[in-house]
Amino acid sequence: YSSDETIYVYGVYEMLYGYHYLKRPYELVPRAAEKVVVPTYYDKDGKELPADVDSRLIARAVYRIPIKKGMKFAPHPAFAKDDKGNYLYHHLRAEEASKLKSPLDLPARGTREVTAEDFVYGIKRMGSPVVVSPVLGMMANHIEGLKDFADNLSREAKKLRESGDTSWLDLRKYEISGVRAADRYTIEITLSGKYNQFSNWLSMAFFAPVPWEAEAFYHNEGFKENNISLATWPVGAGPFMLTKSLVNREHVLERNPNYRFEPYPCEGMPADEEKG
């Protein structure tokens, strides 16, 4: 969540929405989503309300967002499997893991399709006690169940620490009442009341899909010694992937071979066109 990291984060990850930067004012456009949706409003009794209703009557706003089919994560060792379908690198020996300077030193790669569950998992990370999220307080005021989810996870993490359990905290085991995958390609987010700026939040990296496999992979004991983590080696479905990372020295982005074709926009402001 800093300007220095933005060029990498927004190239590696695929947010639900983005902006058409050649138009003034900026126009919100779909990115991973099929379309920019209009929320459905409900009153306290669950009755659907018209879009132009007095906001004071709105108890819940539900965003049902269809995502593009066929999106795939960039190739990464976190997805690599053997012939029997077992993950190759989720349980490395600490001695082996500590010898790696980069996760890409591992020979095998894999990928899979992005689903609505990956967007749900990304939102869950806002409330995870092992992730420092600068927007948890803000989003917990709007997304139904996020505060309870975060509080519950904090208690669970405390129990694990006190028992000496260093297991990976698998967020798939816990639910947020206001966030779910309605089906494989539809994510549903419920807000408490009306919040006009929420669509703009969906263009930010906090709402990018995060594969659970990446968290499981980076939990390998021995990675921390060489600064190998999801924070330093992102795993995304955007147009680029990070292939070299020397902190404060050199970072290399290469084209994600699994990314769809996205042509540069041909629309813009008339003055820009006149200038070529």
Side-chain angles (χ1 to χ4, degrees):
Y1 195 46
S2 72
S3 57
D4 289 339
E5 295 169 343
T6 295
I7 190 173
Y8 307 105
V9 172
Y10 283 80
V12 170
Y13 288 101
E14 183 80 329
M15 275 52 80
L16 285 164
Y17 298 158
Y19 288 94
H20 194 307
Y21 286 108
L22 300 186
K23 293 186 178 181
R24 300 293 182 272
Y26 293 141
E27 179 182 317
L28 201 63
V29 295
R31 190 168 165 181
E34 283 282 3
K35 60 183 179 179
V36 175
V37 304
V38 176
T40 303
Y41 299 121
Y42 298 89
D43 66 15
K44 60 182 177 60
D45 297 318
K47 179 183 176 182
E48 186 172 337
L49 300 170
D52 59 352
V53 70
D54 187 330
S55 61
R56 290 171 294 184
L57 300 177
I58 297 173
R60 295 162 57 238
V62 179
Y63 291 72
R64 296 184 181 92
I65 307 166
I67 65 169
K68 290 182 171 71
K69 297 177 180 178
M71 292 186 297
K72 287 189 174 182
F73 289 104
H76 192 276
F79 302 111
K81 296 181 179 180
D82 62 21
D83 295 338
K84 296 181 180 179
N86 300 312
Y87 288 97
L88 287 172
Y89 305 128
H90 284 199
H91 301 285
L92 294 172
R93 289 181 292 108
E95 180 183 342
E96 180 183 2
S98 63
K99 292 179 181 178
L100 300 174
K101 301 300 181 184
S102 158
L104 305 184
D105 289 341
L106 294 165
R109 304 279 191 280
T111 187
R112 68 164 173 80
E113 186 181 31
V114 178
T115 71
E117 289 288 358
D118 297 309
F119 289 91
V120 173
Y121 199 91
I123 295 173
K124 286 180 177 180
R125 280 172 50 83
M126 291 184 198
S128 171
V130 299
V131 179
V132 179
S133 175
V135 297
L136 174 60
M138 168 70 78
M139 288 297 105
N141 288 330
H142 297 287
I143 298 177
E144 280 194 358
L146 181 56
K147 184 181 186 304
D148 290 340
F149 172 82
D151 291 344
N152 182 37
L153 273 186
S154 293
R155 289 190 293 268
E156 289 295 315
K158 183 180 179 181
K159 289 179 185 177
L160 291 175
R161 286 195 306 271
E162 291 175 346
S163 67
D165 190 339
T166 59
S167 301
W168 165 56
L169 188 62
D170 186 353
L171 303 184
R172 293 175 298 170
K173 298 177 181 178
Y174 308 91
E175 301 298 327
I176 304 176
S177 61
V179 182
R180 72 184 186 100
D183 57 45
R184 185 174 177 84
Y185 302 108
T186 307
I187 179 173
E188 183 177 284
I189 305 172
T190 301
L191 305 187
S192 301
K194 185 177 183 179
Y195 181 34
N196 286 333
Q197 286 75 37
F198 189 66
S199 290
N200 299 90
W201 277 101
L202 296 178
S203 72
M204 301 188 74
F206 310 107
F207 291 91
V210 177
W212 68 266
E213 295 94 334
E215 277 204 336
F217 171 78
Y218 285 117
H219 193 72
N220 271 301
E221 185 180 353
F223 274 173
K224 289 183 179 179
E225 286 85 342
N226 291 321
N227 203 26
I228 295 177
S229 71
L230 189 55
T232 53
W233 289 96
V235 182
F240 297 98
M241 55 186 184
L242 191 66
T243 57
K244 187 173 183 179
S245 181
L246 301 174
V247 177
N248 296 327
R249 290 175 57 196
E250 183 180 12
H251 304 279
V252 177
L253 291 170
E254 293 183 15
R255 180 180 180 271
N256 172 9
N258 297 329
Y259 194 70
R260 63 188 179 277
F261 175 67
E262 285 274 335
Y264 195 78
C266 297
E267 300 175 85
M269 303 305 291
D272 291 333
E273 188 173 4
E274 289 169 7
K275 295 175 182 177

